[in-house]
Amino acid sequence: MAKRIDLRSDTVTQPTADMRRAMAEAEVGDDVYGEDPTVNRLETLAAEMLGKEAALFVTSGTQGNQVAIATIARTGEEVIAEAESHIFYYEAAAVSAFVGAQIRQVPGRKGVLQPTDIKQAIRPRDVHQPRTALICIENTHNRAGGTVTPVHVLEEISSIAKASGVPVHMDGARLFNAAVASGRSAKEIASHVDTVQFCLSKGLSAPVGSVLAGSKAFIDEARQWRKRMGGGLRQAGILAAPGILALTTMVDRLAEDHENARYLAEQLSALPGVTVDLETVQTNIVIADIAGTEVDVNVFVQALRDEGVLSSAFGPTTVRFVTNKDVSREDISTAVDVIANVLKQVR
Ligand code: TLP
């Protein structure tokens, strides 16, 4: 059987041989006592790279976002998030389940929150209205197709938020994709937000984990929320060791994923009945709309799977492809041929 070409997500990436070796050899201790030297090293490195006072290793992007929100927001308050953000869309209503705050969905432009909309969404002091506790920015934006929030937009949102005394959290699950695509450092991007979460286990290819960063006071509180949510791990250095390699050796190669995504998007948009908004293809995500082919999305995704190409049904007529380390340019070309053939057969 031909090689499986897995474009469902960048979460499917396998750890490298160096990562596996680092896991086996990691020096470890009990991280709940703060005694795991490898976790401490990862946290120090991440804080430095993001220009924040402190950082916390968490089990997942979802946990990183939720620990951040729980640390900042209280029951009966409101958290602003983009209408199709991961925090709203894919975190199993954790904000209502754990915090008891409500999410205010603000639609962005191709995933990018607009400063004027944020200004209007921040609540005035009024007995009828909840207090705005937090603004969340997703960068890159998953459901919008991996779009990057430009630094000047971050600056504007940050100054509006500061003027209202509302902190800003960034769901930077793919922060380093945003950095590589925009040519800005992660530190510069993070300088416009109070707290930031990024994933080690997406394009950066570590097997597990995310990092939450912010002020020392914030991280001290967040550490207790992580414990409360069951995320206090013991000899976690085994997981942090590949995370260190993710940060020191895997960032620059994200450019390759971005080039592959652009190539895939261009090839797909040339197929009859398939449209891709090429403006949104800024990083490693491609969302193809197959409405014009009149093929059912689930039938299409299954037919591709039968031919060894894995993708995700993303909406009634849309399919998501995410390029990643384990899919080469040659694999992308093969995938395009498979997609073209499948469309001819199932039409
Ligand atoms: N995204 C996953 C799925 O959950 C949809 C994916 O395959 O893209 N923020 C953003 C923007 C994300 O895309 C994700 C994961 C997360 C947070 C959550 O990270 P994990 O999966 O580590 O909890």
Side-chain angles (χ1 to χ4, degrees):
M1 168 146 175
K3 181 187 169 192
R4 200 167 90 132
I5 301 172
D6 197 344
L7 294 160
R8 285 174 299 173
S9 185
D10 45 9
T11 59
V12 302
T13 43
Q14 295 281 316
T16 63
D18 281 350
M19 286 180 178
R20 288 180 182 274
R21 213 167 301 121
M23 292 175 82
E25 291 167 5
E27 207 188 328
V28 296
D30 189 327
D31 183 48
V32 174
Y33 292 114
E35 289 175 4
D36 188 300
T38 310
V39 171
N40 292 342
R41 213 148 45 87
L42 170 65
E43 292 178 346
T44 304
L45 172 67
E48 256 168 40
M49 286 175 79
L50 298 183
K52 298 292 180 205
E53 283 174 9
L56 182 69
F57 182 51
V58 291
T59 57
S60 66
T62 301
Q63 188 178 67
N65 286 333
Q66 293 306 323
V67 163
I69 294 168
T71 302
I72 295 166
R74 296 285 162 266
T75 307
E77 296 186 332
E78 187 165 80
V79 173
I80 293 175
E82 204 282 328
E84 294 215 11
S85 60
H86 196 278
I87 286 171
F88 173 75
Y89 211 95
Y90 289 123
E91 299 190 7
V95 175
S96 68
F98 297 141
V99 183
Q102 72 183 14
I103 292 191
R104 171 84 167 268
Q105 284 178 274
V106 176
R109 208 176 290 157
K110 302 194 182 191
V112 177
L113 285 168
Q114 301 299 297
T116 46
D117 297 336
I118 294 294
K119 198 167 188 176
Q120 279 169 13
I122 294 174
R123 304 278 194 166
R125 283 176 73 95
D126 175 344
V127 73
H128 302 89
Q129 301 192 36
R131 194 179 76 88
T132 303
L134 179 66
I135 298 161
C136 299
I137 298 175
E138 185 170 311
N139 192 21
T140 66
H141 194 293
N142 183 349
R143 286 195 61 80
T147 51
V148 177
T149 297
V151 165
H152 71 88
V153 174
L154 292 175
E155 270 165 10
E156 281 180 62
I157 293 179
S158 157
S159 76
I160 290 165
K162 271 204 185 82
S164 307
V166 180
V168 181
H169 170 69
M170 182 176 286
D171 175 357
R174 297 183 178 85
L175 171 67
F176 287 94
N177 294 85
V180 166
S182 61
R184 306 297 189 107
S185 66
K187 191 182 274 185
E188 183 186 359
I189 296 171
S191 72
H192 300 292
V193 297
D194 299 279
T195 63
V196 56
Q197 177 279 124
F198 71 86
C199 294
L200 297 161
S201 66
K202 296 202 162 54
L204 299 181
S205 305
V208 176
S210 285
V211 175
L212 178 62
S215 69
K216 184 167 180 317
F218 166 78
I219 291 296
D220 287 347
E221 281 294 303
R223 194 174 289 281
Q224 185 173 41
W225 266 103
R226 183 188 69 172
K227 185 79 181 101
R228 193 172 281 135
M229 289 176 175
L233 302 179
R234 303 298 179 171
Q235 285 70 37
I238 285 179
L239 302 175
I244 292 171
L245 288 175
L247 283 176
T248 51
T249 67
M250 304 298 282
V251 172
D252 292 345
R253 66 149 306 286
L254 294 174
E256 202 181 302
D257 297 344
H258 298 175
E259 283 161 24
N260 283 340
R262 166 84 5 206
Y263 174 75
L264 175 64
E266 284 166 359
Q267 297 294 311
L268 291 183
S269 60
L271 296 175
V274 179
T275 49
V276 179
D277 180 353
L278 292 173
E279 205 197 306
T280 66
V281 186
Q282 301 168 12
T283 55
N284 67 333
I285 300 179
V286 178
I287 296 177
D289 192 331
I290 62 162
T293 66
E294 292 179 16
V295 174
D296 177 84
V297 160
N298 295 311
V299 170
F300 175 68
V301 168
Q302 184 57 48
L304 287 187
R305 177 182 268 271
D306 293 343
E307 297 299 320
V309 174
L310 278 66
S311 60
S312 309
F314 217 49
T317 62
T318 53
V319 183
R320 186 183 77 161
F321 301 91
V322 186
T323 55
N324 62 72
K325 165 181 80 58
D326 298 334
V327 176
S328 65
R329 172 60 68 100
E330 203 186 332
D331 294 332
I332 300 281
S333 295
T334 308
V336 171
D337 291 343
V338 168
I339 293 165
N341 281 334
V342 160
L343 282 175
K344 275 188 212 138
Q345 282 159 20
V346 296
R347 268 183 122 168

